[in-house]
Amino acid sequence: MHLYEDPSTWTPEPPRSRAQLILRFAATLLCAPLLGALWLAAAAVLFVVGLFAEVITAVSDRLERGYLRFMGTTLRRITRLGSWFVTWPELRHEGDTDYYRARVDRRVSHWTTAASAPREPKKARPPVECAIPLRDYRGVGAGYVAEVAVGQGWELRPSNVREEVRLWWAAASHTG
């Protein structure tokens, strides 16, 4: 946590009411298939348009980069429509700090294992940045994520802790 940030934002989120969670879960069961179908339809349309645009991109790399950026942005925005969804584990474990501690520990150790893996020749480099979403640390707060991550060798990056905690693998700056 940086000194200029408000420490009160690094505390656990207040538990949501059981009725609200049940309503959101029921709406999730109804809307998730629709959102999935919308995402697939948008991806198909973008793919078909991309096939026709391929003729133009043979001449212009700039158009290709722009189209790929547009496609990624469009699909991310559709995915973000489901940010209010409530999953079954969230419904069952709302307010359970032990569950959220274990969830944060698992997520950070997963990223630590991936980041500390030795680089294999002709393979992508191990990830040096990651983001832990609010869904994983809602019951324990971003402060717990920071404590666990720093203990495993991560550095904090500027983050909106009401959405995610961004981390950077500190050992990455020491390798060639």
Side-chain angles (χ1 to χ4, degrees):
M1 177 172 61
H2 299 288
L3 296 175
Y4 60 84
E5 294 179 6
D6 182 13
S8 67
T9 62
W10 291 73
T11 60
E13 294 285 321
R16 298 171 284 188
S17 73
R18 188 82 176 150
Q20 177 193 23
L21 286 172
I22 290 171
L23 283 173
R24 281 188 176 191
F25 181 70
T28 299
L29 292 176
L30 296 173
C31 294
L34 296 174
L35 186 62
L38 174 65
W39 191 92
L40 287 174
V45 167
L46 290 168
F47 179 74
V48 170
V49 170
L51 289 175
F52 291 112
E54 187 66 29
V55 174
I56 299 170
T57 60
V59 178
S60 170
D61 286 338
R62 185 174 172 199
L63 177 65
E64 182 178 15
R65 284 191 306 267
Y67 185 73
L68 289 174
R69 192 170 38 251
F70 170 74
M71 188 168 66
T73 302
T74 301
L75 295 177
R76 265 193 308 278
R77 284 183 179 172
I78 291 173
T79 303
R80 234 182 296 158
L81 291 174
S83 64
W84 58 268
F85 287 178
V86 171
T87 62
W88 179 250
E90 287 177 306
L91 179 64
R92 287 185 48 222
H93 297 288
E94 183 71 21
D96 182 2
T97 58
D98 292 334
Y99 170 77
Y100 282 102
R101 278 195 175 103
R103 195 168 179 170
V104 167
D105 292 342
R106 252 189 339 266
R107 180 60 65 106
V108 172
S109 67
H110 163 76
W111 281 110
T112 302
T113 303
S116 62
R119 181 168 187 233
E120 297 178 29
K122 297 186 180 180
K123 298 272 182 159
R125 291 182 182 266
V128 295
E129 287 191 63
C130 72
I132 310 294
L134 174 65
R135 179 165 276 162
D136 288 342
Y137 62 84
R138 170 179 283 286
V140 291
Y144 183 73
V145 175
E147 177 185 322
V148 169
V150 168
Q152 292 187 25
W154 292 91
E155 292 180 4
L156 294 174
R157 289 289 175 237
S159 307
N160 178 1
V161 295
R162 296 291 182 223
E163 293 178 10
E164 65 185 8
V165 174
R166 299 203 51 76
L167 303 170
W168 182 74
W169 184 241
S173 63
H174 304 295
T175 61

